[in-house]
Amino acid sequence: MRGLKTIIFLLISNTFMTFAWYGHLKFKEYDWGKNLGLIAVIFISWGLAFFEYLFQVPANRAGFKGDGGPFTLVQLKTIQEAITLTVFMLFSIVFFKSEKLGWNHLVGFGLIVLAVFVIFKKW
């Protein structure tokens, strides 16, 4: 159950992170965002990042083997990176329609999935 909680919280956390890091690139397309200065955009992104941390910290605590969770530190980081790229790919497809994912992106993502397999495999 802690493993599932960890993954769900990391999905939520990475969604907030992706919007904080890249969502502001769409602000200029809206009337309210056309004249926002850099400082305003930074504060909006910080606000979103706050919610990221509300989920990321509990996810890592619940998932970390040292705190009774099922994952080692390396496994947690690997899960987080795979989730980050998955969320980012979905985000870019939905919100940045001009950005196209090519075969090289898919191969690279496949290699990351392979990395997850290698890290979790008990050799």
PDB file of all heavy atoms in Angstrom, residues 5 12 18 105 118 120:
ATOM      1  N   LYS A   5       0.835   4.398  -2.669  1.00  0.00           N
ATOM      2  CA  LYS A   5       0.722   5.788  -2.198  1.00  0.00           C
ATOM      3  C   LYS A   5       1.897   6.612  -2.726  1.00  0.00           C
ATOM      4  O   LYS A   5       1.716   7.738  -3.188  1.00  0.00           O
ATOM      5  CB  LYS A   5       0.700   5.831  -0.672  1.00  0.00           C
ATOM      6  CG  LYS A   5       0.683   7.225  -0.091  1.00  0.00           C
ATOM      7  CD  LYS A   5       0.737   7.199   1.422  1.00  0.00           C
ATOM      8  CE  LYS A   5       0.794   8.602   1.994  1.00  0.00           C
ATOM      9  NZ  LYS A   5       0.892   8.587   3.458  1.00  0.00           N
ATOM     10  N   ILE A  12       1.145  13.088  -8.708  1.00  0.00           N
ATOM     11  CA  ILE A  12       0.557  14.402  -8.401  1.00  0.00           C
ATOM     12  C   ILE A  12       1.663  15.446  -8.285  1.00  0.00           C
ATOM     13  O   ILE A  12       1.571  16.540  -8.862  1.00  0.00           O
ATOM     14  CB  ILE A  12      -0.282  14.334  -7.112  1.00  0.00           C
ATOM     15  CG1 ILE A  12      -1.485  13.408  -7.308  1.00  0.00           C
ATOM     16  CG2 ILE A  12      -0.745  15.726  -6.688  1.00  0.00           C
ATOM     17  CD1 ILE A  12      -2.209  13.029  -6.025  1.00  0.00           C
ATOM     18  N   THR A  18       5.702  20.006 -13.258  1.00  0.00           N
ATOM     19  CA  THR A  18       5.732  20.279 -14.690  1.00  0.00           C
ATOM     20  C   THR A  18       5.034  21.590 -15.008  1.00  0.00           C
ATOM     21  O   THR A  18       5.525  22.387 -15.813  1.00  0.00           O
ATOM     22  CB  THR A  18       5.095  19.104 -15.462  1.00  0.00           C
ATOM     23  OG1 THR A  18       5.860  17.926 -15.173  1.00  0.00           O
ATOM     24  CG2 THR A  18       5.102  19.349 -16.959  1.00  0.00           C
ATOM     25  N   HIS A 105      12.650  10.494 -29.333  1.00  0.00           N
ATOM     26  CA  HIS A 105      12.119  10.725 -27.988  1.00  0.00           C
ATOM     27  C   HIS A 105      11.562   9.426 -27.418  1.00  0.00           C
ATOM     28  O   HIS A 105      11.780   9.101 -26.253  1.00  0.00           O
ATOM     29  CB  HIS A 105      11.019  11.794 -28.013  1.00  0.00           C
ATOM     30  CG  HIS A 105      11.488  13.104 -28.540  1.00  0.00           C
ATOM     31  ND1 HIS A 105      10.943  13.670 -29.667  1.00  0.00           N
ATOM     32  CD2 HIS A 105      12.461  13.942 -28.118  1.00  0.00           C
ATOM     33  CE1 HIS A 105      11.549  14.814 -29.912  1.00  0.00           C
ATOM     34  NE2 HIS A 105      12.477  15.002 -28.981  1.00  0.00           N
ATOM     35  N   VAL A 118      16.295  -2.508 -15.081  1.00  0.00           N
ATOM     36  CA  VAL A 118      17.632  -2.904 -14.631  1.00  0.00           C
ATOM     37  C   VAL A 118      17.824  -2.570 -13.157  1.00  0.00           C
ATOM     38  O   VAL A 118      18.378  -3.374 -12.386  1.00  0.00           O
ATOM     39  CB  VAL A 118      18.719  -2.241 -15.506  1.00  0.00           C
ATOM     40  CG1 VAL A 118      20.107  -2.415 -14.911  1.00  0.00           C
ATOM     41  CG2 VAL A 118      18.661  -2.790 -16.922  1.00  0.00           C
ATOM     42  N   PHE A 120      15.530  -2.257 -10.807  1.00  0.00           N
ATOM     43  CA  PHE A 120      14.670  -3.039  -9.924  1.00  0.00           C
ATOM     44  C   PHE A 120      14.954  -4.533  -9.971  1.00  0.00           C
ATOM     45  O   PHE A 120      14.534  -5.271  -9.092  1.00  0.00           O
ATOM     46  CB  PHE A 120      13.197  -2.778 -10.243  1.00  0.00           C
ATOM     47  CG  PHE A 120      12.662  -1.563  -9.565  1.00  0.00           C
ATOM     48  CD1 PHE A 120      12.853  -0.307 -10.113  1.00  0.00           C
ATOM     49  CD2 PHE A 120      11.969  -1.667  -8.379  1.00  0.00           C
ATOM     50  CE1 PHE A 120      12.365   0.824  -9.482  1.00  0.00           C
ATOM     51  CE2 PHE A 120      11.475  -0.545  -7.744  1.00  0.00           C
ATOM     52  CZ  PHE A 120      11.674   0.714  -8.290  1.00  0.00           C
TER      53      PHE A 120
END
